[in-house]
Amino acid sequence: MLWRRKATVGGVDQRAKEAYFTASQGQLIWARFKGNRTAMIAAWALVLMILMGLFAPFLSPYDPTIAGRDVTYENGPPQIPRFWDENGFSIRPFIYATERERSIKTNFRWVITENRDKRHYLQFFVRGWDYRLFGLIPGNLHLFGVDGGGQIHLFGTDASGKDIFGRTLHAIWTSLAVGTLGVLISFVLALVIGGVAGYFGGWIDSVLQMITDAIRTVPSIPLFMAIAAFIPDTWSSETRFFFISIILGLIGWPTLARRIRTHLLTERTQEYVLAAELCGASPGHIIRRHLLPSFTSYIIVDLMISFPYMVRSETALSFIGLGLKDPVNSLGALMQNVSKADVLLNYQWYFIPVIFFVALVLAFVFVGDGLRDAADPYSDTKR
């Protein structure tokens, strides 16, 4: 019996070893990535935030633009649904009705008070403002709302009465879209310029490296200020969005291009490259089908790490007033309001989008770090 148990264990170990040595590179990277608990938690958080951004119109009970503002709840604090109070327990979650009046205690500021005798009950899958999911699918169904003609603001409202919860979800999507477009542009430029420079070398490499160094030496802040002065005020929010994305992509490719060039300079002398050349393969075919695939895992890792820098750049531009502005909802545009002293003293819920921005950047960083560790699945080194 003991021998059979040992044989079984030995068979399992043998199958595990065979699976390890016959696994593809992608399978080995995934197995190593799953062993990194921090990276897995960050990956789940990143997926959650991406889904929140994708389905922001469905999750937002009210239009995040000025058209959906609540004029009776300007600068209102977050409303948290509850199940019980001094009036008793309720199976359905509810919030209180609110009243708005000026108070002499706050120098005649508007003060919002709760009417604890009147409840608004939470409802799911309610009809509301019209939207287009993914910009294509029309609809007006929303995840939640309240009855009785009231409104619920989970993250509170801003000075104009716009729902911060809905604005935050749409801002996540906008920042991710800007980062994705910027990364794609920089990715294509890096592949083309780095691949050509690394494969051909010589004077072509020298010219391309001079261009790369020139792009790297351009100071970002004066460049962005010049761009902001160039952008006309008559441009629509969509035009400004694409222009900012293109600019971020055009200045974000040199680092990846240098890494690709360095890899190709060492790989172009390998025997499999010589064999492809003797078979009559063109330089483009050799770079695309032989050289770049040998560097795929590192390219993926570099792209993942580039995302938080793109998102951070867009946020920084919008925060200082050089990027996206209202009515576009971006994390940087929302963070413009937190720089005011009055917000810090009286309206702390304005900082909720900052929490999502920090969480988004950290999730990208931890996932990128986990992919970087998993990119060499044959290494036993633990970082």
Side-chain angles (χ1 to χ4, degrees):
M1 191 70 178
L2 180 61
W3 174 83
R4 182 178 298 176
R5 182 176 299 176
K6 290 183 177 179
T8 303
V9 175
V12 173
D13 292 342
Q14 184 65 26
R15 287 195 297 269
K17 290 180 180 179
E18 291 177 357
Y20 176 80
F21 288 109
T22 59
S24 64
Q25 185 182 22
Q27 292 173 331
L28 292 174
I29 291 176
W30 172 242
R32 190 176 177 89
F33 181 80
K34 289 195 298 183
N36 190 330
R37 182 176 299 179
T38 303
M40 284 298 297
I41 295 174
W44 282 111
L46 183 59
V47 169
L48 178 61
M49 284 186 284
I50 291 175
L51 291 177
M52 290 170 60
L54 281 172
F55 295 95
F58 169 70
L59 298 174
S60 305
Y62 312 110
D63 191 342
T65 65
I66 198 68
R69 70 192 188 105
D70 187 352
V71 295
T72 64
Y73 203 72
E74 296 176 355
N75 279 328
Q79 297 174 300
I80 307 301
R82 61 185 70 193
F83 291 91
W84 64 85
D85 60 3
E86 66 275 6
N87 296 323
F89 178 81
S90 173
I91 298 178
R92 300 171 57 190
F94 64 89
I95 61 172
Y96 296 115
T98 58
E99 298 176 355
R100 185 167 175 260
E101 59 183 2
R102 293 188 181 273
S103 173
I104 192 173
K105 296 180 180 179
T106 58
N107 297 325
F108 295 99
R109 287 177 177 266
W110 285 107
V111 176
I112 297 175
T113 58
E114 295 179 338
N115 183 357
R116 303 181 72 89
D117 295 326
K118 185 177 181 181
R119 296 177 175 181
H120 291 300
Y121 290 94
L122 195 67
Q123 295 180 331
F124 294 97
F125 302 107
V126 298
R127 299 291 176 176
W129 61 283
D130 297 329
Y131 60 84
R132 285 189 174 271
L133 194 62
F134 314 123
L136 300 172
I137 306 174
N140 60 2
L141 183 67
H142 302 275
L143 179 61
F144 64 93
V146 292
D147 62 3
Q151 295 191 19
I152 178 172
H153 304 286
L154 296 180
F155 294 170
T157 60
D158 59 13
S160 60
K162 290 181 288 187
D163 183 51
I164 295 180
F165 176 77
R167 297 197 69 190
T168 301
L169 298 186
H170 284 77
I172 292 174
W173 170 245
T174 301
S175 296
L176 286 175
V178 172
T180 301
L181 185 57
V183 167
L184 287 178
I185 295 173
S186 64
F187 174 66
V188 173
L189 290 176
L191 288 183
V192 174
I193 296 175
V196 170
Y199 181 78
F200 291 101
W203 67 270
I204 297 179
D205 180 32
S206 300
V207 172
L208 292 178
Q209 288 312 298
M210 285 192 295
I211 297 175
T212 303
D213 292 336
I215 298 295
R216 288 171 59 91
T217 55
V218 174
S220 57
I221 297 300
L223 174 63
F224 292 144
M225 294 179 66
I227 292 173
F230 168 78
I231 296 178
D233 294 334
T234 56
W235 277 14
S236 65
S237 57
E238 292 81 6
T239 305
R240 184 183 291 267
F241 168 88
F242 284 105
F243 186 77
I244 294 296
S245 302
I246 292 172
I247 294 300
L248 291 177
L250 290 177
I251 64 175
W253 58 266
T255 301
L256 180 57
R258 276 186 170 274
R259 293 178 182 175
I260 295 175
R261 167 188 173 270
T262 303
H263 178 76
L264 265 61
L265 283 174
T266 58
E267 288 291 318
R268 66 177 182 172
T269 58
Q270 298 296 322
E271 294 180 355
Y272 68 91
V273 177
L274 178 60
E277 291 176 346
L278 294 177
C279 291
S282 64
H285 178 84
I286 295 174
I287 295 174
R288 185 178 67 257
R289 297 298 298 273
H290 299 287
L291 291 175
L292 289 180
S294 65
F295 195 52
T296 301
S297 59
Y298 297 97
I299 293 176
I300 294 174
V301 172
D302 195 280
L303 287 178
M304 183 59 66
I305 295 177
S306 299
F307 260 98
Y309 294 105
M310 288 291 180
V311 174
R312 188 188 64 182
S313 298
E314 180 277 322
T315 304
L317 285 175
S318 300
F319 178 73
I320 61 179
L322 304 181
L324 302 176
K325 301 178 181 179
D326 281 332
V328 177
N329 292 300
S330 72
L331 292 174
L334 293 183
M335 290 168 58
Q336 285 180 339
N337 297 323
V338 304
S339 59
K340 304 175 183 177
D342 188 43
V343 170
L344 181 61
L345 295 175
N346 302 299
Y347 313 119
Q348 292 82 9
W349 52 90
Y350 277 49
F351 285 87
I352 294 179
V354 180
I355 299 174
F356 279 86
F357 167 71
V358 173
L360 183 64
V361 172
L362 288 180
F364 271 116
V365 170
F366 285 128
V367 171
D369 188 64
L371 286 175
R372 182 182 60 191
D373 292 343
D376 185 11
Y378 298 100
S379 175
D380 294 329
T381 304
K382 299 293 184 180
R383 296 188 179 182

